[in-house]
Amino acid sequence: MKSDAVKKGVQQAPHRSLFNALGLSAEEMRRPLIGIVNSYNEIVPGHMNLDKITQAVKMGVAMAGGVPREFPAIAVCDGIAMGHEGMKYSLVTRDLIADSTEAMARAHQFDALVMIPNCDKNVPGLLMAAARLNIPTIFVSGGPMLAGHVNGRKRSLSSMFEAVGEHAAGKLSDSGLTQFENDVCPTCGSCSGMYTANSMNCLTEVLGMGLRGNGTIPAVYSARIRLAKEAGMQIMKLLEQNIRPRDIMTEKAFMNALTVDMALGCSTNSMLHLPAIAHEAGVELNVDIANEVSARTPNLCHLAPAGPTYMEDLNEAGGVYAVMNELSQKNLLNLDCMTVTGHTVGENIAGCEVRDPEVIRPLDNPYSQTGGLAALKGNLAPDSGIVKRSAVVPEMMVHDGPARVFDCEEDAIEAILGGKINPGDVVVIRYEGPKGGPGMREMLNPTSAIAGMGLGSSVALITDGRFSGASRGASIGHVSPEAAVGGPIALVEEGDMIHIDIPGLKLELKVDDEELARRRAAWKPRKPKITTGYLARYAAMVTSGNRGAVLEIPGSSEE
């Protein structure tokens, strides 16, 4: 066992004395040492139940003959961090989580790990750590929140942000806003739509790193506790069989994840996280592949914010395995991939039928013949820009409009809520990329304000930042290269015409090459917004959004 390095032999007598101080018995020191990575905290609603999940996991490990030892991972609530400097610290925690988990696992020589994440950066951060460490690992998330109810309709956090825009437009009263505030987030769990947290928890299931139901069983259901116990027991089988993350997270598994991503209509953030996880697993996952996968994958689900269904509905309709089984009928998945169940994908999904064709549409009646995400290219985004195509209204699939240029999110929000954005405009928010932010802030506030002001079907938003999974509309993010490194988005001027063609995968600035060359010659880099602390180090090491915003040592051969 790996943990023998800290438990066996004369030289390890000091180590054993410290295990004695922990209260471990001689029998426990003979058993495998299982690290339980608990993301519990008291500030993130999606994590407030993880103490219960952790206790259930530890019970499962102990029942199966292991010795569970718990240690923490941090997590940021993107909703609470939204719209202020706190959002600069969201994406960057993904690497802190991966690094700190690597440090704890290596320092203490755990034999295996159970990862207990739930929210946006915490799931991919732990998947990155799992791939990097490559010791037997299983995931069990905290589960999604139940949908709220306002005036007899199911609602979620995206509805709350849009309600702020409605209030600013005079369409919603103070009391109406308070009703939303009190009712849209009724339970613990990751917010109830197909936002980033739920997208990544579902894709963890697809990758093969979580058991059935990991992505969809609501946080408050007792089935979630049972799942946690099963995960605790299953890690001991993975250890016995020596099934490791890189045996599971293969190139074929990532192609499965991209395919189901398209069918579910997941968050655009998945196009940051999947390449970053793949990078740790030694798999190259270029965002260009997304369009190839999308072209052959029908979009089967319109979960909030794309439609009126929620994670609880997906769970009742058969969950992720039902979606995968439906896709398998068209030979769209690699069925021979190994998973943490000890069985292949094909064995796992056999017989998992769709129970509600309104929530998971059949292959012969999809929402669209192409997938939920698209990577756009053109002279405004030479490397790429990502859009959640499934959440764009038909009239905005192709759009030409004048640029309204803002060099930070706050200025754009002020203009939107101040009534200064007109139908047809294309809002451009730049210097918010991985380096320029730094930290690549989410733009849920401006996209929700646009929708709430009644402009969702006539105004587009383009940014080198990113979007919350709760954003909808013609919202194109991850524009690469970003403004901070002199990408073309830095050259856009007020009133320039921008052409968006989502079906044609085009994003064009309608300015001739000669004028663009003149602007480029006059462009000068901005001084860094932050010069000290973690964000300064992050800005120095982070790559562009089209590469997953992974960290690399400046001047390294990989850069």
Side-chain angles (χ1 to χ4, degrees):
M1 290 188 294
K2 190 177 182 69
S3 62
D4 287 350
V6 294
K7 294 189 302 185
K8 285 190 174 181
V10 173
Q11 297 299 318
Q12 281 66 43
H15 304 70
R16 289 193 297 273
S17 72
L18 292 168
F19 282 120
N20 287 334
L22 288 171
L24 265 63
S25 66
E27 173 58 30
E28 285 176 301
M29 280 192 257
R30 285 190 286 271
R31 296 182 178 187
L33 192 63
I34 311 299
I36 312 298
V37 189
N38 180 9
S39 302
Y40 169 80
N41 63 50
E42 294 182 338
I43 190 63
V44 182
H47 290 226
M48 62 184 283
N49 65 320
L50 296 190
D51 54 343
K52 307 294 190 300
I53 301 295
T54 299
Q55 288 305 313
V57 166
K58 290 160 76 172
M59 184 178 294
V61 169
M63 285 192 295
V67 179
R69 293 286 96 181
E70 177 185 341
F71 64 89
I74 64 169
V76 163
C77 175
D78 277 23
I80 295 173
M82 194 72 65
H84 56 90
E85 69 170 355
M87 183 46 68
K88 293 178 184 291
Y89 287 88
S90 173
L91 178 61
V92 305
T93 63
R94 186 183 71 179
D95 296 276
L96 280 175
I97 291 161
D99 293 349
S100 61
T101 302
E102 174 195 359
M104 289 294 288
R106 296 282 192 224
H108 302 101
Q109 294 293 288
F110 288 108
D111 295 300
L113 297 169
V114 182
M115 307 290 203
I116 308 175
N118 212 29
C119 288
D120 294 29
K121 311 310 169 299
N122 167 262
V123 182
L126 290 179
L127 283 166
M128 288 165 67
R132 190 184 300 173
L133 289 162
N134 201 34
I135 61 175
T137 303
I138 194 169
F139 279 67
V140 56
S141 78
M145 184 183 290
L146 294 178
H149 291 81
V150 179
N151 297 325
R153 291 179 58 192
K154 285 186 177 181
R155 298 286 193 171
S156 62
L157 186 64
S158 55
S159 309
M160 180 71 252
F161 276 91
E162 290 178 14
V164 174
E166 292 177 27
H167 182 267
K171 299 176 181 178
L172 186 66
S173 66
D174 290 349
S175 61
L177 185 66
T178 299
Q179 184 181 6
F180 269 88
E181 186 179 323
N182 290 334
D183 295 342
V184 296
C185 295
T187 70
C188 62
S190 48
C191 297
S192 56
M194 187 53 81
Y195 311 148
T196 305
N198 291 325
S199 294
M200 293 312 302
N201 281 322
C202 287
L203 295 181
T204 298
E205 208 172 319
V206 181
L207 280 170
M209 292 298 295
L211 299 175
R212 182 181 183 182
N214 178 73
T216 61
I217 297 172
V220 295
Y221 282 15
S222 297
R224 176 65 55 181
I225 299 297
R226 296 197 298 272
L227 184 73
K229 291 177 184 175
E230 290 166 7
M233 291 185 283
Q234 186 62 23
I235 191 60
M236 300 306 295
K237 294 181 182 178
L238 293 173
L239 178 60
E240 180 183 352
Q241 298 169 31
N242 196 29
I243 298 174
R244 303 184 184 202
R246 291 196 183 191
D247 300 325
I248 294 169
M249 289 193 283
T250 62
E251 183 176 357
K252 286 183 177 181
F254 282 104
M255 293 305 293
N256 282 350
L258 271 178
T259 299
V260 179
D261 189 336
M262 296 299 173
L264 286 173
C266 289
S267 164
T268 53
N269 282 316
S270 64
M271 297 310 299
L272 280 176
H273 300 322
L274 287 176
I277 300 160
H279 179 76
E280 295 289 353
V283 174
E284 183 179 351
L285 193 66
N286 192 298
V287 294
D288 291 342
I289 299 172
N291 288 335
E292 298 174 24
V293 175
S294 179
R296 61 176 178 262
T297 308
N299 178 225
L300 305 182
C301 300
H302 263 194
L303 295 146
T309 53
Y310 295 81
M311 294 305 297
E312 62 201 65
D313 301 311
L314 179 60
N315 188 62
E316 293 301 317
V320 173
Y321 275 19
V323 175
M324 294 176 73
N325 189 45
E326 187 69 17
L327 292 171
S328 73
Q329 308 308 310
K330 198 177 174 182
N331 298 317
L332 291 171
L333 296 178
N334 300 294
L335 300 181
D336 58 349
C337 295
M338 179 51 63
T339 73
V340 291
T341 66
H343 302 290
T344 65
V345 167
E347 291 169 326
N348 287 344
I349 67 175
C352 296
E353 301 297 332
V354 173
R355 295 196 289 262
D356 187 341
E358 294 301 314
V359 178
I360 305 171
R361 287 196 173 184
L363 288 171
D364 59 5
N365 183 35
Y367 282 100
S368 67
Q369 293 294 337
T370 52
L373 299 179
L376 311 186
K377 284 193 175 184
N379 68 345
L380 187 51
D383 291 337
S384 71
I386 304 295
V387 64
K388 188 171 183 174
R389 170 165 45 191
S390 61
V392 179
V393 295
E395 53 267 40
M396 290 299 291
M397 285 291 185
V398 178
H399 179 77
D400 289 86
R404 304 297 307 278
V405 183
F406 304 93
D407 287 348
C408 67
E409 177 190 5
E410 289 83 356
D411 290 350
I413 293 170
E414 182 180 352
I416 296 165
L417 296 179
K420 296 178 182 178
I421 302 301
N422 303 310
D425 285 349
V426 178
V427 175
V428 176
I429 305 177
R430 62 193 181 189
Y431 295 100
E432 291 284 9
K435 286 184 180 294
M440 203 178 187
R441 289 196 286 181
E442 286 186 347
M443 301 294 156
L444 179 56
N445 269 351
T447 59
S448 298
I450 287 170
M453 295 288 284
L455 298 170
S457 60
S458 62
V459 169
L461 194 154
I462 296 171
T463 181
D464 53 7
R466 60 194 177 87
F467 295 109
S468 164
S471 291
R472 62 186 176 97
S475 303
I476 301 163
H478 310 192
V479 169
S480 301
E482 63 175 290
V485 299
I489 193 172
L491 310 180
V492 182
E493 294 183 358
E494 187 80 6
D496 285 348
M497 292 300 295
I498 291 176
H499 173 66
I500 300 166
D501 181 356
I502 295 173
L505 307 174
K506 294 289 185 183
L507 184 60
E508 298 281 350
L509 179 63
K510 308 303 286 186
V511 174
D512 64 53
D513 292 343
E514 185 178 335
E515 172 62 16
L516 284 178
R518 184 192 67 77
R519 293 181 189 180
R520 182 172 300 284
W523 179 83
K524 294 180 180 179
R526 300 284 180 101
K527 290 182 178 180
K529 295 177 183 176
I530 295 175
T531 58
T532 60
Y534 178 56
L535 284 181
R537 296 196 301 276
Y538 181 89
M541 297 176 69
V542 71
T543 61
S544 65
N546 71 302
R547 295 186 56 199
V550 298
L551 300 187
E552 290 179 352
I553 299 170
S556 71
S557 58
E558 288 185 281
E559 193 173 33

